[in-house]
Amino acid sequence: MITASQCRAARALTDVSRAILADQSGVSEDVIREFENKLSKPDDATINALQAALESLGALFIAENGGGIGVRLKFTRSEARRIAQMENEGGPTAFDEVP
């Protein structure tokens, strides 16, 4: 389940307003605002609806893994292919140190 900070960050990363998130999730803007500002904590079903909507908009939530919780953008399939191509383009590797 996501936190208020992850919700705010995911909205910023996906570049969506509270109104768009409300429309996508079926959760009212007021509930989103109060959750993000830590004024109230909605029930689990509401938070799960927000998380599902944000994930469908491109957010990927990172669970506690020793380095803290977080959120990042998902790569599209074409972006992942381009990254793989760039990673495989180089020649032989050598030491980076310059004498």
Side-chain angles (χ1 to χ4, degrees):
M1 193 165 15
I2 64 171
T3 66
S5 297
Q6 283 179 301
C7 187
R8 276 193 319 273
R11 251 188 349 95
L13 285 170
T14 57
D15 198 27
V16 296
S17 65
R18 284 190 186 113
I20 292 171
L21 180 56
D23 184 56
Q24 294 286 318
S25 66
V27 177
S28 78
E29 285 185 64
D30 290 336
V31 170
I32 297 169
R33 182 180 303 104
E34 289 180 6
F35 175 53
E36 289 182 345
N37 291 324
K38 301 179 184 177
L39 298 174
S40 69
K41 185 175 186 262
D43 61 31
D44 291 351
T46 301
I47 295 174
N48 288 335
L50 291 171
Q51 181 173 347
L54 288 164
E55 286 173 341
S56 73
L57 292 165
L60 178 65
F61 295 97
I62 303 164
E64 174 63 51
N65 59 4
I69 60 171
V71 62
R72 70 173 179 85
L73 288 176
K74 296 177 188 178
F75 289 115
T76 64
R77 195 171 298 164
S78 66
E79 290 171 328
R81 275 195 301 260
R82 282 186 274 152
I83 290 169
Q85 284 176 336
M86 288 186 281
E87 289 176 342
N88 294 324
E89 282 181 353
T93 59
F95 292 110
D96 289 337
E97 292 181 22
V98 179

